[in-house]
Amino acid sequence: MERTLSIIKPDAVAKGVIGKILDRFESNGLTIAATKKLQLSRKEAETFYAVHSERPFFNDLVDFMISGPVVVSVLTGEDAMKKNRDLMGATNPKEAAAGTIRADFAENIDANAVHGSDSLENAAVEIAFFFAEKEIS
Ligand code: GDP
């Protein structure tokens, strides 16, 4: 049983597709072990994406992530990290396979609907960033 972190980004929240995206997870064998809607501060977004701080798109990414509320969730299940990445599709929605969340709900590489942890190590760090252990069931 693995755990991973999902974020429904501000574009998808604004579009009103929180329920449709959470349904993708549950319909594909993942359990929503915790979830909440929140507004990231600039400092929180910069810390969360610190690994990208030297990249040219960093400021745009932070601006986008604080442009509205997000929904953060802990997903659990067999192979949860990779399963979530597969359901999300490629980072650039134009390259995302048909039927993936990004192909169906994302506009472009800046506003690409969802985040998902890309390793189990990062998943543990990202889950602890948003949730206390007692909030996860
Ligand atoms: P992910 O794991 O698929 O989300 O992709 P990455 O970890 O590589 O990048 C994190 C986020 O930064 C992506 O989801 C995009 O929102 C953004 N991003 C990545 N690459 C680019 C890029 O080349 N240009 C822009 N504008 N944003 C990017």
Side-chain angles (χ1 to χ4, degrees):
M1 198 64 91
E2 283 182 12
R3 281 178 175 183
T4 192
L5 185 89
S6 160
I7 305 179
I8 302 178
K9 295 186 178 183
D11 58 321
V13 172
K15 263 192 213 166
V17 293
I18 295 170
K20 286 182 177 163
I21 291 175
L22 292 179
D23 179 60
R24 297 285 174 105
F25 302 143
E26 292 192 312
S27 298
N28 286 279
L30 293 172
T31 295
I32 299 164
T35 192
K36 59 188 170 189
K37 187 177 187 182
L38 55 89
Q39 172 70 49
L40 285 168
S41 69
R42 180 170 295 278
K43 191 155 191 355
E44 286 170 331
E46 286 173 351
T47 303
F48 186 82
Y49 277 117
V51 64
H52 294 309
S53 62
E54 302 303 319
R55 308 279 283 275
F57 57 82
F58 181 67
N59 286 337
D60 288 343
L61 176 59
V62 169
D63 284 344
F64 168 64
M65 290 301 289
I66 65 172
S67 66
V70 298
V71 173
V72 293
S73 305
V74 178
L75 307 178
T76 60
E78 198 176 321
D79 217 10
M81 189 277 292
K82 184 176 183 304
K83 190 176 274 184
N84 180 41
R85 297 286 302 183
D86 289 346
L87 291 172
M88 288 164 57
T91 306
N92 185 346
K94 291 183 179 62
E95 293 160 11
T100 60
I101 292 168
R102 282 169 166 163
D104 290 344
F105 301 118
E107 301 306 324
N108 52 58
I109 196 164
D110 297 284
N112 62 359
V114 280
H115 165 85
S117 308
D118 62 3
S119 70
L120 288 179
E121 292 74 17
N122 286 343
V125 172
E126 293 179 357
I127 289 168
F129 188 86
F130 287 110
F131 292 97
E133 201 54 40
K134 68 180 179 187
E135 295 176 302
I136 305 168
S137 55

